Amino acid sequence: MTIRSLFRLGLIALLLFAVGCAPPTTQVGTIGSTPLQDKYSTYFTIGAATTPSKLAAVQNIVDFHFDRLTCENDMKWGVIHPDAGTWNFTAADALADYARGRGITMTGHALIWHNQLPANNWMFTGLTPDTDGARSALKTIMQTHIDTLVERYYDVIDNWDVVNEAISDGGGYRTDSPWYEYFGSEEYIYWAFRYTKDALEAHAGGTGTSLGKLYYNDYSVVNSTKLNAIIDMVKWLRQDPSTPPLPAGQSPIAIDGVGLQAHWQMDWPNTTLIQNAINAIDGAGLKAKISELDISASYGSSGTINFTSELAQIQANRYAAIFSVFRSNNDKISSVTFWGVSDDQSWLNNFPVSGRDDYPLLFDRSHNAKPAYYAVIDFN
Ligand code: G3I
């Protein structure tokens, strides 16, 4: 063996050793090597909605990229409080413990909503709509529910979707909500905020934990009719001049912000509409949060579309434009949360067409970063 071949062998051995010692790069390479949470650390936290079973399949992505979590379903009334005196904290606790373990915060979703209620409708059973009896019973039930959730999660939840989707697209209060029906008016909205605020204040001081923020959360907030109605509701709660009275003897409540769900499409809403909504919310003295972001690629299609590389790039451009608006408004936006982590886990695979694949998120069905991810981190 010549000196030259010995040298070559040594070089190969050195290379093999170096490869063996190098940290595994495959995962970081496929999920993107720039953590969203780091890239956006000076702007806002970046969250994802998930469930424990979904998280298990994408935990490497969540660990690496997200510094905020929302329970996609597990804090909703039907899951967590399915019957009188029956609580099912397992899934919510699992996500809360994951968040606590990482020292990240959560968004509490959703205390009062007309959807995903208990299957047996126990809260309303036996009550007569729009009577003092119904109002009194529901106030007690509502307060117990809110007290219990705040008591359990106030240390890890920094903002709460106290009321979700209470305003209709046409601008009035939604009358098809059983909360509205049984209270006989929008009065239930006041009590939801009142009980949440009281419960949070009961935990202020002593623990050093800052008060969780109170949010109203809805879809299509960029539509001016709905937006104006939301702002009117906020003004009513804080009793701006010329607003309807609160329940007798009750003091005003200044809520903190409005959640824009942001279930958006490839061509709606345009960035002007988004900017206008952020400005209006800021103008009313509130924070905006982007609470449920996704961009459906399949909107308007009755079946699964072919998500070509061209479509992936159009979606990436769209995400880039939207995040550019978010960044330039970071003083007005408290957080940005995606409604899911990877395309295979999105609710849009079952809505509005059941079983149709959609491609709305930053990570694909194999849990690799999509062009949309690279578009979101592509700025200086
Ligand atoms: O858990 C049951 C399961 O036991 C049953 O076998 C199965 C059969 O359909 O249903 C399962 O429940 C589903 C649940 O998600 C959990 O997967 C419900 O059918 C389904 O309707 C429900 O969808 C959720 C939807 O809210 C309900 O309105 C979505 O996952 C969730 O992403 C979605 O989230 C909402 C936000 O909370 C509020 N804003 C709109 C957003 C999208 O609708």
Side-chain angles (χ1 to χ4, degrees):
M1 189 173 282
T2 62
I3 298 216
R4 198 193 185 100
S5 53
L6 260 180
F7 177 73
R8 208 177 283 143
L9 265 181
L11 208 64
I12 290 169
L14 204 68
L15 267 175
L16 285 175
F17 177 73
V19 168
C21 290
T25 53
T26 45
Q27 256 185 8
V28 170
T30 56
I31 68 170
S33 55
T34 302
L36 288 166
Q37 57 181 329
D38 291 356
K39 188 80 185 180
Y40 278 88
S41 63
T42 57
Y43 292 90
F44 29 69
T45 48
I46 298 275
T50 192
T51 68
S53 58
K54 289 181 179 179
L55 176 63
V58 291
Q59 197 179 323
N60 59 326
I61 300 178
V62 178
D63 285 347
F64 192 68
H65 286 297
F66 296 101
D67 56 359
R68 166 172 299 282
L69 280 189
T70 304
C71 284
E72 182 180 0
N73 287 304
D74 298 315
M75 285 190 190
K76 293 173 185 172
W77 206 306
V79 176
I80 208 161
H81 198 179
D83 212 337
T86 304
W87 296 89
N88 173 20
F89 296 120
T90 314
D93 279 1
L95 286 186
D97 286 342
Y98 167 82
R100 289 178 182 119
R102 279 191 49 206
I104 61 172
T105 43
M106 296 182 74
T107 292
H109 176 81
L111 293 173
I112 298 295
W113 190 25
H114 61 274
N115 214 339
Q116 281 181 287
L117 291 168
N120 64 7
N121 242 6
W122 64 267
M123 304 93 91
F124 308 102
T125 305
L127 302 179
T128 307
D130 195 9
T131 57
D132 286 345
R135 281 184 280 276
S136 164
L138 286 175
K139 278 163 62 181
T140 304
I141 290 171
M142 190 189 265
Q143 188 169 18
T144 302
H145 180 82
I146 290 173
D147 278 353
T148 304
L149 293 194
V150 169
E151 163 72 33
R152 200 168 182 96
Y153 301 115
Y154 76 93
D155 64 311
V156 71
I157 289 181
D158 67 358
N159 78 97
W160 296 81
D161 291 336
V162 178
V163 176
N164 197 42
E165 301 173 10
I167 291 174
S168 67
D169 294 347
Y173 289 104
R174 236 189 139 110
T175 53
D176 60 350
S177 161
W179 296 108
Y180 186 100
E181 182 191 354
Y182 280 83
F183 271 84
S185 75
E186 66 276 18
E187 184 185 320
Y188 76 94
I189 297 172
Y190 175 80
W191 293 112
F193 282 106
R194 168 91 279 144
Y195 295 140
T196 309
K197 187 171 165 62
D198 289 351
L200 288 166
E201 281 175 352
H203 294 290
T207 63
T209 307
S210 63
L211 273 188
K213 304 290 185 198
L214 308 175
Y215 275 78
Y216 173 77
N217 193 52
D218 212 332
Y219 60 87
S220 296
V221 172
V222 295
N223 284 348
S224 58
T225 311
K226 197 162 193 176
L227 182 57
N228 291 337
I230 293 171
I231 289 175
D232 283 349
M233 178 197 69
V234 170
K235 290 179 173 172
W236 163 61
L237 289 168
R238 69 184 183 207
Q239 288 290 278
D240 278 9
S242 316
T243 54
L246 294 175
Q250 295 306 312
S251 50
I253 300 172
I255 78 165
D256 298 289
V258 174
L260 294 88
Q261 291 186 3
H263 296 297
W264 290 340
Q265 295 143 29
M266 298 287 238
D267 58 358
W268 177 87
N270 63 36
T271 49
T272 308
L273 276 179
I274 299 170
Q275 183 65 63
N276 289 347
I278 294 170
N279 289 347
I281 291 166
D282 176 61
L286 304 164
K287 282 280 184 196
K289 73 171 173 182
I290 309 302
S291 55
E292 307 184 13
L293 177 61
D294 45 31
I295 298 178
S296 173
S298 308
Y299 186 79
S301 156
S302 56
T304 295
I305 60 161
N306 184 10
F307 191 63
T308 59
S309 54
E310 287 77 19
L311 270 181
Q313 193 51 52
I314 291 170
Q315 184 185 54
N317 297 344
R318 177 92 170 112
Y319 264 113
I322 287 172
F323 268 82
S324 170
V325 175
F326 294 166
R327 287 194 300 275
S328 59
N329 289 281
N330 70 312
D331 56 326
K332 305 181 180 77
I333 293 179
S334 54
S335 60
V336 174
T337 289
F338 289 87
W339 206 243
V341 174
S342 54
D343 287 343
D344 56 313
Q345 298 189 343
S346 169
W347 72 291
L348 288 167
N349 294 310
N350 290 305
F351 185 89
V353 181
S354 177
R356 177 194 70 182
D357 289 352
D358 205 340
Y359 308 86
L361 296 164
L362 301 191
F363 299 90
D364 68 17
R365 290 185 143 62
S366 306
H367 303 167
N368 294 319
K370 292 164 59 180
Y373 158 78
Y374 292 99
V376 167
I377 56 155
D378 184 19
F379 66 96
N380 293 314

